[in-house]
Amino acid sequence: MGKQSNHRLNFIIALFLLVLTAVAFLPILGAKFINCDDVVYVTQNNHVKAGLTLENIKWAFTTFDQCFWHPLVWLSYMLDYDIWGLNPFGYHLTNLLFHILNTILLFLVLKTATLSIWRSALVAALFGIHPLHVESVAWIAERKDVLSTFFFLLTVLAYVEYVKIPKFGRYALVVVFFALGLMSKPMVVTLPFVLLLLDYWPIGRIFRSNIPPKEKGTGLAGRQTQASALSSNLVVEKIPLFLLSAVASAIAYVAQGKGEALDVRAEFSLGVRIANAMVSYVVYVVKMFWPRDLAVFYPHPGATIPTLQLIGAGLALLCITLLACLSFRRHPYIAVGWFWYTGTLIPVSGIVKFGAHAMADRFTYIPLIGLFIMIAWGVPDLVGCFCDNNRMSVANGRSQIRPQTILPAASVISLAVFAVCTWVQVCYWHDGVRLFQHALRVTKGNYFTYNNLGAALEEAGRLDEAVLFYRASLRVEPNQARAHVNLGNIFLKQRKVEEALREYKAAVRVRPNDPMLQNNLAVALAQKGMYADAINCFRKAIRINPHLPDIHENLAEVFYLNGNYAEAWREIALCRQNGGRPSQSLLKALSAKMHEPGVQKDIKKPYN
């Protein structure tokens, strides 16, 4: 009967987590695609729009598109396209479903490992509705966050089950789930270190002396009959996982090397990166408690971080780390939670490699679990100790304030506040204009947001307003390519070819090795009738990356306009070989030329 009651309670809690999370994120189901990465990941990605085919599955496992190797993410988008086409509702629904699954999985993992139902439920609820997690769920292009975390948590759950009954099949499941997580996002490379933390607490495979009496017999630690002090055995046990992490890190390094940062500001000295990482670590903690002024992009401060702010951040990190180390034996959850947070954040801290952003809300998706553990286990112990020592009473002096009364009320209030904040933050993600207008209100000097707001306005047909924001972006950061490109695109639409050429040339000066910028410049040159120069630019783009079908198609059209039909057919064939679908109008025009006297003999056989 006790087991049945336990299962019933677990089911009720899981159902509560599902409803709470779904309600908090409900507005996202009516949101649109965002003109920031959603375009390259879905709406204009020819492979995704071709759906799940053998050819596209092969591409997903071999491409470093967008400077990542995450084949499962590509496959999930292709499956979404097969079901929903380009209806954003379906893509948002998939993200939300994975987030709900992650929330319930987190509850199951902690409940299984600690045997503490209510504290595990609190951690899961905080994870499910925290505003810092909105970006990972609401941004279609961040599918990799929710998908990789799904396999991350499955790996931990499989590991906990393996600890109960160590069998090869159970360990193999741990390895498989971890590999799937790495194929979704390389950030989960830190998972073997997380498992070592869990070996200490709550699993208890690493022997701890001086365990408080109240902790004995709780969690898996209470079930261990032969806890070992030799942690080296536990490290050896995880060698396959560490090897997978090493391979994934090497692949990620190669993938990042295939692309270059969008702007010159994306590269900073090691000292600047370390300083920004220290401040970011503290800012994330502050935003966890006070989630205001959240933005899709936080501009990197470079070397302008105030000295006092840097010293304050360093002292805060040092003090918390010392507290965690000192509490390692008596309150192990503090150390485990803190090192979970700091350790899992390292791959995206920016110390090794960084972009033009200072930090990002999405980076906290897994790390915040550690802080939630510290809160869920630490606050009840702190309140209980305080009440026991002070015997606090209410005003009438007849009844004592008990933790059993304080903590549930505080938890409910906190969850309600966070749920409302999340609902509000989700609403900002309805469309690009609303999202980037909000980001401009809460940040300063945000050239990235000026540019993306311009792109959102351009997509809405408000071209004159878009030009103003593109120019504002260039005033903040003149040495960037994207705003120049976007201005050039608008001028090209308005038949202002000279102005478009000026902007495209400025973009190419910033990023000469970007094939798409060479392509845009070539298109403008072709529209001006400068076919020879256009062909040279197209060929330069193809030398940089020969696998972009749109460039081959554009070059084919220029060859057609220039009367070189044989070369036009050759580029059409290369376009098809790289997954492109040449326009029917161009194919008909070229086919018609085959029947004209004196032309057919110049046409070479197209490549198959």
Side-chain angles (χ1 to χ4, degrees):
M1 185 65 183
K3 271 190 176 180
Q4 288 180 351
S5 299
N6 234 10
H7 290 322
R8 188 179 299 112
L9 179 59
N10 291 337
F11 176 78
I12 291 172
I13 291 174
L15 185 61
F16 167 77
L17 293 172
L18 184 155
V19 173
L20 177 67
T21 307
V23 169
F25 282 88
L26 192 60
I28 201 58
L29 296 180
K32 303 175 183 177
F33 288 108
I34 301 299
N35 61 296
C36 182
D37 286 356
D38 285 359
V39 174
V40 292
Y41 274 92
V42 179
T43 59
Q44 293 183 17
N45 189 298
N46 291 327
H47 291 282
V48 169
K49 292 194 293 183
L52 271 175
T53 64
L54 288 177
E55 183 180 350
N56 282 332
I57 292 172
K58 178 183 176 183
W59 173 84
F61 279 91
T62 55
T63 185
F64 289 149
D65 195 9
Q66 304 309 307
C67 303
F68 280 104
W69 185 73
H70 43 35
L72 296 189
V73 174
W74 292 121
L75 295 180
S76 72
Y77 287 138
M78 293 172 191
L79 180 59
D80 270 350
Y81 183 83
D82 283 340
I83 298 172
W84 304 100
L86 287 180
N87 184 350
F89 169 84
Y91 299 83
H92 284 302
L93 178 63
T94 301
N95 275 21
L96 180 54
L97 288 176
F98 271 113
H99 181 57
I100 292 172
L101 287 173
N102 292 340
T103 302
I104 296 173
L105 265 177
L106 180 57
F107 165 67
L108 294 176
V109 166
L110 292 176
K111 189 266 304 179
T112 304
T114 68
L115 305 183
S116 178
I117 293 179
W118 295 110
R119 297 184 188 192
S120 301
L122 177 60
V123 172
L126 287 170
F127 174 87
I129 52 94
H130 201 280
L132 277 176
H133 290 166
V134 169
E135 184 170 290
S136 295
V137 183
W139 197 353
I140 291 172
E142 279 307 311
R143 171 74 54 81
K144 47 187 173 285
D145 277 352
V146 293
L147 188 60
S148 63
T149 303
F150 175 71
F151 291 113
F152 178 100
L153 293 172
L154 279 179
T155 304
V156 177
L157 185 59
Y159 180 75
V160 172
E161 294 298 326
Y162 159 76
V163 169
K164 291 180 184 177
I165 306 176
K167 290 185 177 179
F168 175 78
R170 294 193 174 199
Y171 187 81
L173 202 59
V174 173
V175 175
V176 169
F177 283 144
F178 183 43
L180 293 174
L182 292 171
M183 287 191 284
S184 304
K185 188 176 183 179
M187 180 180 171
V188 299
V189 293
T190 56
L191 192 144
F193 299 96
V194 170
L195 297 183
L196 284 173
L197 288 174
L198 298 179
D199 281 334
Y200 186 76
W201 181 91
I203 295 176
R205 299 180 77 196
I206 300 176
F207 178 76
R208 301 200 318 268
S209 61
N210 199 24
I211 301 177
K214 65 179 179 180
E215 195 181 319
K216 291 180 179 179
T218 62
L220 286 183
R223 295 177 175 178
Q224 299 300 311
T225 57
Q226 295 180 341
S228 172
L230 299 177
S231 59
S232 59
N233 293 335
L234 301 179
V235 175
V236 171
E237 172 190 71
K238 296 173 181 60
I239 284 179
L241 304 180
F242 282 112
L243 289 176
L244 282 176
S245 290
V247 171
S249 298
I251 293 174
Y253 180 82
V254 173
Q256 289 290 315
K258 293 295 182 180
E260 60 180 288
L262 183 64
D263 307 299
V264 294
R265 288 178 59 179
E267 296 297 334
F268 300 99
S269 68
L270 179 61
V272 168
R273 283 180 274 142
I274 291 175
N276 178 74
M278 290 172 58
V279 173
S280 297
Y281 265 95
V282 176
V283 172
Y284 287 135
V285 176
V286 173
K287 286 185 178 291
M288 182 198 69
F289 288 105
W290 191 252
R292 60 171 301 187
D293 294 344
L294 304 184
V296 65
F297 184 85
Y298 302 98
H300 200 290
T304 65
I305 298 176
T307 304
L308 286 178
Q309 184 181 15
L310 184 57
I311 293 173
L315 287 175
L317 292 175
L318 180 62
C319 290
I320 300 174
T321 302
L322 286 175
L323 175 64
C325 292
L326 291 174
S327 64
F328 221 97
R329 290 186 174 180
R330 295 194 62 82
H331 304 287
Y333 49 78
I334 295 177
V336 170
W338 179 247
F339 292 120
W340 176 312
Y341 168 69
T342 55
T344 57
L345 200 53
I346 286 175
V348 289
S349 65
I351 294 175
V352 177
K353 184 177 176 62
F354 215 64
H357 49 277
M359 50 186 280
D361 297 347
R362 62 186 179 276
F363 293 162
T364 68
Y365 195 68
I366 289 176
L368 279 191
I369 295 173
L371 299 183
F372 295 152
I373 288 173
M374 293 174 68
I375 293 170
W377 268 264
V379 172
D381 285 356
L382 181 64
V383 172
C385 179
F386 182 78
C387 289
D388 288 343
N389 290 339
N390 292 277
R391 295 294 180 184
M392 295 176 60
S393 298
V394 294
N396 59 19
R398 286 181 295 182
S399 58
Q400 293 180 342
I401 296 177
R402 300 177 182 275
Q404 294 89 335
T405 304
I406 298 172
L407 295 177
S411 299
V412 169
I413 293 171
S414 299
L415 291 176
V417 170
F418 281 146
V420 172
C421 292
T422 292
W423 177 286
V424 173
Q425 187 66 24
V426 166
C427 289
Y428 291 131
W429 284 83
H430 180 267
D431 57 73
V433 174
R434 190 181 303 181
L435 176 66
F436 294 113
Q437 283 178 338
H438 170 71
L440 283 180
R441 285 194 298 269
V442 300
T443 60
K444 296 179 180 178
N446 202 331
Y447 72 96
F448 176 91
T449 300
Y450 276 121
N451 176 74
N452 279 275
L453 178 53
L457 291 167
E458 180 183 352
E459 188 177 345
R462 298 154 64 177
L463 300 187
D464 293 337
E465 293 177 76
V467 169
L468 294 177
F469 281 101
Y470 291 146
R471 295 201 186 281
S473 177
L474 288 169
R475 281 196 297 272
V476 176
E477 177 51 67
N479 198 18
Q480 59 165 313
R482 182 170 290 179
H484 283 298
V485 171
N486 290 340
L487 272 175
N489 292 343
I490 285 185
F491 290 143
L492 210 59
K493 289 177 184 177
Q494 297 173 335
R495 303 295 181 184
K496 299 176 181 178
V497 181
E498 286 293 341
E499 288 90 335
L501 279 172
R502 183 179 65 247
E503 299 299 334
Y504 289 146
K505 288 177 180 177
V508 168
R509 281 195 296 271
V510 175
R511 294 188 61 190
N513 294 321
D514 188 317
M516 296 311 298
L517 300 190
Q518 294 286 350
N519 171 79
N520 289 2
L521 177 57
V523 169
L525 289 168
Q527 288 203 10
K528 200 177 178 185
M530 301 169 66
Y531 296 136
D533 292 336
I535 290 170
N536 287 336
C537 284
F538 279 130
R539 291 209 179 281
K540 192 178 295 184
I542 290 171
R543 282 197 298 272
I544 298 169
N545 188 342
H547 305 298
L548 298 174
D550 290 346
I551 297 179
H552 288 291
E553 182 178 357
N554 289 340
L555 181 53
E557 187 163 355
V558 171
F559 277 134
Y560 168 77
L561 294 173
N562 201 35
N564 192 338
Y565 308 120
E567 289 298 320
W569 276 114
R570 180 177 181 276
E571 295 301 325
I572 289 292
L574 290 172
C575 173
R576 285 171 168 160
Q577 285 179 11
N578 288 283
R581 297 179 179 179
S583 68
Q584 291 299 314
S585 58
L586 178 59
L587 291 176
K588 288 179 181 178
L590 278 170
S591 298
K593 290 294 180 182
M594 294 178 64
H595 304 291
E596 292 186 7
V599 172
Q600 188 171 356
K601 62 179 183 295
D602 294 329
I603 300 177
K604 299 176 184 176
K605 183 180 178 181
Y607 296 157
N608 295 321

